[in-house]
Amino acid sequence: MTMRVIVATDGSKQSLAAARQLMAFADPQKVTEVVIVAVVSPRAAVPFANELTRSRGSSGDLSFREEANNALAVVADVFDGWGPKVTKKVRSGSPAAEIVKAAEQLEADLVVVASGGKGLSETILLGSTAQRIQHSAPCPVLVSRPTPRTTPARRRAAATG
């Protein structure tokens, strides 16, 4: 069995962690291609907020498409040497709709997406991109959740529990 996997990135650290999570459990012998997709949303207040390359000397003067391409490169680097062919694509439109379209067009076997890339108020008001992909994708969706921070109260509860 071979697989084509789409890994969605919104330029967040969570999307980078989602790519790493795929590598933690997937057999690179069975994954034939990883397609990394970034979506620039022309109608959004912040069409592409890339937090992956800021520490790499980004001047902040880049276009949204350049920011998306930079984020794609960072995620692609994670797969360097892993095995499968890696392809990068920037699409324009609604992130959830474009990722679902990409999954349909590319006949993807799995979509990997991060959950929790945006704030709680945005999730409540606009709905979660990950949730929309999960409900509309033509294939299984791996939703990677961020690792919860361990607070002192949680550490105490775990130690006593």
Side-chain angles (χ1 to χ4, degrees):
M1 181 177 136
T2 58
M3 291 179 61
R4 176 176 286 141
V5 179
I6 291 178
V7 175
T9 182
D10 59 359
S12 69
K13 292 176 185 173
Q14 292 90 340
S15 66
L16 187 59
R20 290 184 177 128
Q21 189 170 31
L22 169 67
M23 292 177 60
F25 78 85
D27 181 350
Q29 301 293 324
K30 294 183 180 176
V31 177
T32 53
E33 183 179 14
V34 174
V35 181
I36 306 164
V37 177
V39 181
V40 177
S41 181
R43 294 191 179 110
V46 180
F48 199 87
N50 179 12
E51 62 185 32
L52 298 177
T53 57
R54 297 240 187 269
S55 62
R56 292 181 156 196
S58 174
S59 67
D61 296 331
L62 298 176
S63 74
F64 298 124
R65 187 164 287 277
E66 289 170 321
E67 289 284 8
N69 278 314
N70 287 344
L72 287 172
V74 171
V75 176
D77 285 349
V78 167
F79 295 104
D80 190 35
W82 190 52
K85 173 184 171 187
V86 176
T87 307
K88 300 174 282 191
K89 296 189 180 293
V90 175
R91 297 178 68 110
S92 181
S94 162
E98 289 302 317
I99 292 165
V100 168
K101 279 185 206 173
E104 292 168 348
Q105 291 168 350
L106 299 170
E107 298 179 359
D109 298 295
L110 177 68
V111 174
V112 177
V113 63
S115 176
K118 305 290 184 196
L120 179 62
S121 62
E122 191 167 330
T123 300
I124 291 169
L125 295 174
L126 301 177
S128 166
T129 297
Q131 185 177 21
R132 283 184 258 155
I133 293 167
Q134 202 172 11
H135 288 290
S136 303
C139 59
V141 178
L142 168 64
V143 179
S144 175
R145 295 185 41 86
T147 304
R149 293 184 194 160
T150 304
T151 63
R154 285 187 185 165
R155 281 194 294 269
R156 282 192 301 275
T160 61

